[in-house]
Amino acid sequence: MSLIRWEPFREMDDFLRTASPLFSRNGVRSLTERTEWAPTANISETEKEYLIKAELPEVRKEDVKVTLENGVITISGERKQQKEAKEENEIRVESFYGSFARSFSLPDNVDPNGVRAESKDGVLKIHIPKREGSKPKQISVPVQ
């Protein structure tokens, strides 16, 4: 058994690098370093549908896959890094590249056959219609 010297700052640096590459000491990631990331998403509801808006800057719609299975909708794909001109010297890279996936559980009142998705200006919009007859009824309860 060999002894390994404990270096708390190195371990903290490793932890922060896995938590977020932006916390690394030098603040620069190499072009070849791939990091898994998760796009941010907003979910809203109207009377007729649920709407998921996922921010996918620089992701082509051909690189995005939306699946619905067992009441869970999953957005997955890959954001590929385009190499720029060699004359360019990158000082700091804060964008995330690589594979991504986000999953959301859906309520029981959705119509899986009517789900549609559209991508425009770096935002993926997924429209999930509600089933007819699933609207909540308002019941008046007398207070005694």
Side-chain angles (χ1 to χ4, degrees), residues 33-60:
E33 185 177 342
R34 292 176 56 105
T35 304
E36 286 200 18
W37 61 286
T40 58
N42 298 325
I43 302 174
S44 59
E45 175 184 15
T46 66
E47 205 173 288
K48 296 182 178 183
E49 70 177 6
Y50 296 99
L51 177 65
I52 299 175
K53 290 183 186 177
E55 296 178 7
L56 299 172
E58 297 182 14
V59 178
R60 299 177 333 155

Side-chain angles (χ1 to χ4, degrees), residues 65-141:
K65 182 178 178 185
V66 179
T67 57
L68 178 61
E69 184 177 356
N70 296 327
V72 176
I73 194 160
T74 301
I75 305 166
S76 61
E78 184 176 1
R79 182 175 176 190
K80 298 173 183 170
Q81 186 169 13
Q82 305 296 323
K83 292 188 179 183
E84 300 295 327
K86 289 190 175 191
E87 301 85 37
E88 188 176 292
N89 183 21
E90 291 184 335
I91 305 299
R92 186 175 183 100
V93 177
E94 293 187 353
S95 299
F96 292 96
Y97 296 95
S99 299
F100 63 87
R102 289 289 308 264
S103 294
F104 304 96
S105 295
L106 298 176
D108 294 332
N109 66 339
V110 300
D111 177 12
N113 298 321
V115 176
R116 62 183 175 85
E118 59 187 88
S119 180
K120 182 179 178 188
D121 298 331
V123 177
L124 175 70
K125 292 182 182 179
I126 304 173
H127 300 269
I128 307 162
K130 294 180 180 179
R131 276 194 218 128
E132 288 298 319
S134 63
K135 297 177 185 170
K137 295 179 184 177
Q138 184 176 21
I139 301 172
S140 184
V141 178

